[in-house]
Amino acid sequence: MKSLVFALASAALLSACAVQQEGPKTAASKPARDLPVIDKNPFPSTYKPYASQPTLIRGVNIYDGAGGKIIGGDVLLVEGKVAAIGQSVAAPQGVTVIDGAGKWVTPGVIDVHSHLGNYPSPSVEAHQDGNEVTGANTADVWAEHGVWPQDPGFTRALAGGITTLHILPGSANLFGGRGVSLRNVPGRTVQEMKFPGAPYTLKMACGENPKRVYGSRNQKPGSRMGNIAVDRATWAKAQEYDRKWDEYEGKVKAGTAALKDVPARDLAMDTLRGVLDGEILVQNHCYRADEMALVLDMAKEFGYKVTAFHHAVEAYKITDLLKANGTCAAMWADWWGFKMESYDGIRENLPFVHAAGGCAITHSDDDLGIQRLNQETAKALADGNRAGLDIKPEEAWTWIGINAAKALGLDKEIGSLAPGKRADVVLWNGDPLSVYAKAEKVWIDGALMFDALSRMRPVSDFELGQPGEGDPK
């Protein structure tokens, strides 16, 4: 992974690419410490976990999120982490003990494809900030810059057990912009919700949406041929941009760089360069099997990786290709047929990808579906097993557990209940793969953020004084 930043005093910079002037020195004689640098994190996370207390959930049934199950086990949360999990865990002095008899615990649910905050409630034109529909390549825009933290959808999702969600730009463009992973906690700013250290992502799209949006304006792309052509031309430019900055940074490191060597800055190319360098993960909206196969070949041509295809209603046709390329498929349980490219979907899509050894994920792409990803997962599990598969419930929970975390580059921190991982935990009043189950308590980093029994739930400023205030719907 190439580094963009070299040792210098950041306080001396007036902007991400500012040049400090010192006396009468010529451009060719400027010292390396005064040369421009690119700040890869100009909008850093300011997230701080809420206060927590040591908690032991005792005698509870557990889906651990990584494919394991424990009946009548214990989970201990200490200082924001999972401290222990097993059939029997000793209770430290002063710990709060919760009786979990007859209940279930899972890791916090992860939604890898959400537009909350970018398309918030109420759904009015003034709130439509998820698509920059001004050009086929808008890789320069960042979803986080359109997120409204007061969206009531965040708390509704919390009541459904969602502890981490990934906000993506829409799919009007071939290169839609950067996505961001958020902690599902109240915040005044999006940076207070931003998952610390989470990789950025790039939203790409293929198929009907880009060709329809721009073809209707008599612009390229107006066809699937045009989609791939514009993609390839853009990646070729990105490779050249990457080469120029690599060369410049090599000179900086060697102490031979001068101001005349500094390449022109391009914010869209910064994002694509991050992909080429393996720092930014590609999340690709794509429905048809043939198009996903083309995109995988294009990724090989230009030296990047597709981390996950989203929607992917024909993923069941190319399970071998997905597995061979290490590419996840984030899918709906049963949405299909609403446009031509989604026509050949099947309800067994998600479990077939799983059964083939692939990385299968349940996603929402919907402000209501995000509130019941446990039920969506259960539907897909039932459809697969009716088709003759023998998928265990604890395996199915990986679709909103460890697999979802992998697709976001966060599997070392969340996605499963294991000692040392963040204590993102949901206590359900019954088997969470039952339509009757509800999240009873939700912890994020060990802090109790939602309690259905005590009606403890966050309320955004926007909701204050309005009918239904705080109602999880």
Side-chain angles (χ1 to χ4, degrees):
M1 186 179 295
K2 308 181 188 75
S3 172
L4 295 175
V5 182
F6 297 91
L8 65 148
S10 60
L13 300 176
L14 297 179
S15 70
C17 204
V19 177
Q20 187 181 51
Q21 298 298 325
E22 291 184 355
K25 294 177 182 175
T26 64
S29 66
K30 293 289 288 182
R33 69 175 184 276
D34 297 327
L35 291 170
V37 296
I38 295 176
D39 183 354
K40 292 189 291 184
N41 191 27
F43 305 97
S45 168
T46 58
Y47 168 76
K48 295 185 185 305
Y50 281 73
S52 63
Q53 59 184 11
T55 302
L56 177 66
I57 309 171
R58 173 164 281 170
V60 71
N61 302 322
I62 302 165
Y63 292 140
D64 70 7
K69 180 173 74 171
I70 300 173
I71 299 299
D74 299 344
V75 181
L76 177 63
L77 317 179
V78 178
E79 295 182 351
K81 304 288 186 183
V82 176
I85 177 173
Q87 203 65 58
S88 180
V89 174
Q93 187 174 4
V95 70
T96 297
V97 178
I98 295 175
D99 181 7
K103 301 177 182 180
W104 288 75
V105 155
T106 68
V109 181
I110 303 166
D111 190 358
V112 301
H113 191 124
S114 177
H115 300 293
L116 290 185
N118 277 165
Y119 287 112
S121 302
S123 181
V124 295
E125 184 62 31
H127 281 170
Q128 306 303 293
D129 291 311
N131 262 314
E132 178 61 33
V133 194
T134 53
N137 176 15
T138 59
D140 53 332
V141 305
W142 297 23
E144 65 195 76
H145 297 155
V147 168
W148 184 43
Q150 293 185 44
D151 183 0
F154 288 121
T155 57
R156 308 300 190 261
L158 181 65
I162 301 292
T163 55
T164 298
L165 61 165
H166 190 68
I167 311 301
L168 288 163
S171 54
N173 306 325
L174 293 170
F175 299 85
R178 294 199 195 195
V180 63
S181 293
L182 300 181
R183 309 296 279 151
N184 195 10
V185 298
R188 299 165 302 167
T189 68
V190 70
Q191 287 167 269
E192 290 181 351
M193 303 172 70
K194 199 169 174 179
F195 200 120
Y200 283 111
T201 66
L202 169 64
K203 170 70 176 293
M204 293 187 66
C206 59
E208 290 184 24
N209 288 9
K211 80 183 187 91
R212 170 180 50 81
V213 170
Y214 295 100
S216 66
R217 302 177 185 177
N218 200 30
Q219 295 176 227
K220 197 173 184 177
S223 67
R224 282 181 164 83
M225 296 183 296
N227 283 350
I228 296 295
V230 174
D231 277 340
R232 295 179 71 215
T234 305
W235 283 118
K237 291 178 182 177
Q239 284 184 322
E240 179 62 13
Y241 184 82
D242 191 26
R243 184 194 64 77
K244 288 180 179 178
W245 274 92
D246 281 353
E247 183 178 294
Y248 164 68
E249 289 167 357
K251 289 182 178 180
V252 172
K253 190 172 184 179
T256 60
L259 285 178
K260 64 181 178 60
D261 300 317
V262 181
R265 181 81 182 276
D266 185 312
L267 295 179
M269 289 297 141
D270 283 349
T271 294
L272 301 189
R273 186 180 185 223
V275 173
L276 294 175
D277 290 351
E279 298 170 350
I280 295 177
L281 311 180
V282 171
Q283 312 288 340
N284 208 131
H285 160 118
C286 216
Y287 286 78
R288 286 180 5 188
D290 59 312
E291 289 189 273
M292 287 186 276
L294 287 172
V295 169
L296 289 173
D297 283 343
M298 180 170 63
K300 292 186 180 80
E301 179 185 9
F302 292 100
Y304 70 92
K305 177 183 172 61
V306 180
T307 298
F309 285 115
H310 290 236
H311 312 332
V313 298
E314 294 185 15
Y316 67 95
K317 298 182 180 181
I318 55 165
T319 57
D320 56 333
L321 295 181
L322 295 173
K323 182 179 179 181
N325 286 275
T327 298
C328 295
M331 298 161 279
W332 294 297
D334 53 8
W335 280 14
W336 65 277
F338 47 88
K339 55 181 175 177
M340 284 305 301
E341 65 184 0
S342 69
Y343 189 75
D344 210 12
I346 61 173
R347 294 172 65 98
E348 301 83 6
N349 189 33
L350 202 159
F352 278 1
V353 171
H354 172 87
C359 173
I361 299 166
T362 314
H363 75 351
S364 78
D365 189 29
D366 181 69
D367 63 329
L368 299 178
I370 194 174
Q371 299 175 29
R372 52 175 183 269
L373 276 185
N374 60 316
Q375 294 179 25
E376 297 300 305
T377 297
K379 287 194 293 183
L381 171 64
D383 287 326
N385 286 347
R386 274 194 294 268
L389 302 178
D390 183 21
I391 302 173
K392 295 179 173 58
E394 57 266 33
E395 295 177 56
W397 203 267
T398 64
W399 305 343
I400 47 179
I402 198 64
N403 288 1
K406 286 177 182 175
L408 301 181
L410 294 171
D411 49 303
K412 292 183 179 179
E413 296 194 63
I414 59 172
S416 63
L417 298 175
K421 284 196 169 185
R422 290 177 180 266
D424 293 356
V425 178
V426 184
L427 176 66
W428 305 83
N429 65 358
D431 186 339
L433 293 174
S434 164
V435 70
Y436 299 107
K438 290 186 176 182
E440 187 173 291
K441 290 180 171 62
V442 181
W443 291 265
I444 298 179
D445 281 324
L448 184 60
M449 302 302 300
F450 174 85
D451 187 344
L453 300 182
S454 68
R455 297 188 61 81
M456 185 188 85
R457 57 198 59 156
V459 177
S460 74
D461 288 348
F462 178 78
E463 292 184 273
L464 291 175
Q466 297 195 36
E469 174 186 316
D471 183 355
K473 303 300 181 208

